[in-house]
Every structure is written in structure tokens, then in C-alpha cells.
Amino acid sequence: MILLTPDDRFALRANDMFRDVYDTKGERFDPSPVLKLFSPVGAATWLATELGEDGDTLFGLADLGFGCPELGSFSLAEIASIRLPFGLFIERDVSFESVHPLTVWLETARHAGSILAAESLLRRPDQIESNPGLSPGGG
């Protein structure tokens, strides 16, 4: 499976170019994740918002399944080279779309303990509204 489509590559590169842009309120550009990669036999999940000039370095939220999702950079080539049991590989979630910016994903994943749990919460707007700690700028 192709992990990065041309459209994904374009959107990730565009986000990278706007990384240091601030809006009229002085708030930094906070894009929504463009790409979700995951292990089909485990909890490892990556959400990427940016792709560096080298075409390999992704930036976003990484969760290896140990209960501590964190922001950082990760290598597309390294992720693509991971060999899993039963001849499986890391996959791209072809149906992934997000309206939530990365900061919301980060806070929700840290609160919930994983990107997968955060994804469940973020699909339920009533959960976000009833828990201000899960919204941007929330406690």
C-alpha cells in the first residue's frame, strides 16, 4: 500500500510551509492532521500534519501504544520499513478525515491515553462539549 498519496504529500508540504505563520490574533497555524498511519496488529498510530523538505520527515502526533501519545517528528521511510507479524505492514487509513486541529488531537489523546481512544471521543461532539479540557485552550 502507498503510505503517502500525491494529494497527501501536497497538503503536508503546504502545512509545513505555513508552520511559522500567525493569524491576525497572534495565534500560530494549527492544521488538522492530513494522514493517519496505523499498525493493523497493534495500537501504534501516527497522525501527520506536515512533511519536511526532505520528503521523509513527518511531523505530528505519534502513539506507539504505551499510553503516552506525543508530538514529534518521525520518518516515513522508517515507518514504511516496519515488518509486522503475518507479513503485514503499517497501513494508511484511507477513510481518515479530521476537522479537529492537531492541538485538539494532542489534548484529547493525552487525556484519553491514546490516539485510538481520542478518535472515539472526537467522533462524539457531546463528549467534547461536556469536557472543556478536550477543547483548544481548555483546562
Side-chain angles (χ1 to χ4, degrees), residues 8-54:
D8 290 340
R9 183 175 299 277
F10 179 83
L12 291 163
R13 284 295 302 133
N15 283 347
D16 185 62
M17 289 183 242
F18 284 103
R19 171 183 28 175
D20 295 323
V21 172
Y22 292 82
D23 67 13
T24 56
K25 297 177 185 176
E27 294 181 18
R28 193 173 186 167
F29 180 61
D30 187 14
S32 297
V34 172
L35 175 70
K36 176 185 174 188
L37 302 174
F38 68 96
S39 167
V41 293
T45 309
W46 299 263
L47 297 178
T49 56
E50 300 162 35
L51 177 65
E53 287 183 50
D54 63 5

